[in-house]
Amino acid sequence: MVRYGELSTKGKNKKSFTQRLAQNVRHILQDFEQIKVNPDYDFMYITLNGAPEEVVLERLKHVFGIQSYSPIYTVEKSLEAMFQQIYALLSNMDLSDKTFKISTKRADHEFDMDTNTLNRELGAMVLDAFPQLTVKVKQPDINIKVEVRKHAVYISTQTYIGAGGLPVGTGGRGMMMLSGGIDSPVASYLALKRGLELEMVHFYSPPYTSPQSLRKTQELTKKLALYGGAIQFIEVPFTEIQETIKEKCPEAYLMTITRRFMLRVADAIRQKRDGLVILNGESMGQVASQTLHSMVVINEVTNTPILRPVVAMDKLDIIALAEKIDTFELSIQPFEDCCTVFAPPSPKTKPNLEKVRVYEERLDVDALVKRAVDGIKVYPIDVQTRFDEDVEDLL
């Protein structure tokens, strides 16, 4: 049984959220054809029909939109059947110095035993079978839940905490500018958690950036696919733009103008692929292009909303989250990305917008952007994806 959490606050839209959650759950369990997923108003029920319970429990913990979930066992409506199921569950647990209680709910008021009687009778049977246990009404180690329904009795002993958030895909589609650094994968995780469907836009500048740097962002996307399902990876050829900027613009403005081009290209891809917003991993003041002055000048090329999920986070907090979602070790691998190609020793932290416009008049902006967009490669990456074996493992 899956509990929804925040989805419960969505009022008339709740059904569409729960339907999307069911779709996402079916996707991660698609290799088990016998599993049935049934979203109800308050809960979602997943019937395993023989599928391995441990595998299903492990996969559910990464699905956004799930507050918590419990394995529930269905038995016939008799005291003996209830006890036999409880006995089987407790027999597989370490009961040393543990406390327990029986928590009964009785939706079927025609059942011949009330909740107090069931609590008392089942509690006594458990104590007889497992004398090492003691009863504790408040905050026991093991809470044995018994729910008497019309057609059967549900029994559970464990509750797992889910990933929380909103189901991926309920918030619309956005283009994430994914580098190989620490911040943009964390920003991606946070955006996925708020229900956005992401497509990863990665700027690739061979021969200045290596196949390993491209592999690194592909592998990062694969790790994020654990939370977002299959993610479209968009490889943008960026060499011509960077070489042209370096040839015709002052060194101190290379970073500012390069970032403006990235934003133009990402926005053109967004329009082409029906995205609503652009996202990135910018964190206030971290590098020259992420000062407030730089952001204003760089943003000037588009009116499309730009979301920055980690903009106000401390670096240590970002690193802690990167470690939690298992992207940190990949992110710190020392492969260059296009942001470091031709990076000047003293980039402008307060660039002058008028000067930027003058420098860009030296460039055929529209043609450069069009050629980059025309040259993109788009392909899906999910947790099962295997990459080109010619590139050696990164870790």
Side-chain angles (χ1 to χ4, degrees), residues 359-382:
Y359 299 144
E360 287 186 344
E361 287 178 358
R362 305 171 183 175
L363 312 171
D364 190 345
V365 173
D366 292 342
L368 285 167
V369 170
K370 184 177 186 306
R371 283 197 288 276
V373 174
D374 288 347
I376 63 173
K377 296 179 183 176
V378 183
Y379 44 92
I381 293 178
D382 64 22

Side-chain angles (χ1 to χ4, degrees), residues 7 9-19 41 170:
L7 272 63
T9 66
K10 296 303 177 185
K12 294 180 179 178
N13 294 321
K14 182 176 176 179
K15 185 176 181 180
S16 64
F17 279 78
T18 55
Q19 292 292 338
Y41 187 78
T170 55

Side-chain angles (χ1 to χ4, degrees), residues 121-377:
E121 294 293 329
L122 288 171
M125 296 168 81
V126 168
L127 283 173
D128 284 344
F130 302 98
Q132 66 271 47
L133 288 173
T134 55
V135 175
K136 186 178 181 184
V137 176
K138 292 185 178 178
Q139 298 183 330
D141 297 314
I142 306 168
N143 188 1
I144 302 170
K145 297 179 180 177
V146 178
E147 187 170 346
V148 181
R149 298 283 188 97
K150 281 287 184 185
H151 60 285
V153 175
Y154 296 161
I155 293 175
S156 67
T157 57
Q158 291 180 289
T159 296
Y160 298 86
I161 302 301
L166 298 171
V168 172
T170 55
R173 180 179 300 160
M175 304 293 126
M176 168 60 74
M177 298 168 68
L178 184 73
S179 70
I182 298 170
D183 299 348
S184 56
V186 171
S188 302
Y189 169 83
L190 293 172
L192 290 167
K193 187 171 185 177
R194 296 314 300 165
L196 270 69
E197 174 191 352
L198 296 184
E199 295 194 347
M200 302 304 189
V201 179
H202 177 66
F203 295 90
Y204 183 42
S205 294
Y208 307 107
T209 57
S210 64
Q212 286 86 355
S213 74
L214 175 61
R215 170 66 69 82
K216 184 171 143 181
T217 51
Q218 292 169 330
E219 294 279 6
L220 287 168
T221 300
K222 182 175 177 176
K223 287 189 176 293
L224 292 163
L226 186 65
Y227 305 93
I231 294 175
Q232 296 297 317
F233 188 88
I234 302 171
E235 202 179 303
V236 181
F238 204 55
T239 308
E240 182 191 13
I241 289 177
Q242 289 199 272
E243 288 179 336
T244 306
I245 294 171
K246 184 176 188 304
E247 178 188 348
K248 297 186 176 180
C249 298
E251 184 179 74
Y253 276 84
L254 293 184
M255 180 65 72
T256 304
I257 295 173
T258 298
R259 294 293 295 179
R260 282 166 63 91
F261 266 88
M262 286 180 169
L263 207 50
R264 288 186 178 103
V265 171
D267 201 25
I269 295 172
R270 177 198 63 77
Q271 292 180 47
K272 190 174 181 180
R273 298 183 61 79
D274 298 324
L276 296 174
V277 297
I278 297 170
L279 302 96
N280 62 37
E282 290 179 341
S283 178
M284 182 62 70
Q286 193 166 137
V287 295
S289 65
Q290 296 173 18
T291 65
L292 203 54
H293 295 83
S294 286
M295 289 182 186
V296 169
V297 171
I298 293 167
N299 282 20
E300 193 257 351
V301 301
T302 180
N303 291 321
T304 299
I306 300 172
L307 305 186
R308 300 175 172 86
V310 301
V311 69
M313 290 178 68
D314 290 343
K315 190 66 179 182
L316 291 179
D317 294 334
I318 296 173
I319 290 173
L321 189 48
E323 290 173 333
K324 177 185 172 185
I325 63 174
D326 194 30
T327 57
F328 180 74
E329 290 299 327
L330 259 178
S331 291
I332 62 174
Q333 295 305 304
F335 302 114
E336 70 294 323
D337 63 46
C338 66
C339 293
T340 60
V341 172
F342 309 139
S346 300
K348 288 287 184 183
T349 57
K350 295 181 179 179
N352 182 299
L353 179 57
E354 292 307 316
K355 287 185 178 179
V356 168
R357 287 171 174 163
V358 169
Y359 299 144
E360 287 186 344
E361 287 178 358
R362 305 171 183 175
L363 312 171
D364 190 345
V365 173
D366 292 342
L368 285 167
V369 170
K370 184 177 186 306
R371 283 197 288 276
V373 174
D374 288 347
I376 63 173
K377 296 179 183 176

Side-chain angles (χ1 to χ4, degrees), residues 41-55:
Y41 187 78
D42 292 318
F43 306 100
M44 179 183 296
Y45 296 98
I46 304 172
T47 307
L48 302 191
N49 290 321
E53 178 181 319
E54 297 76 14
V55 175

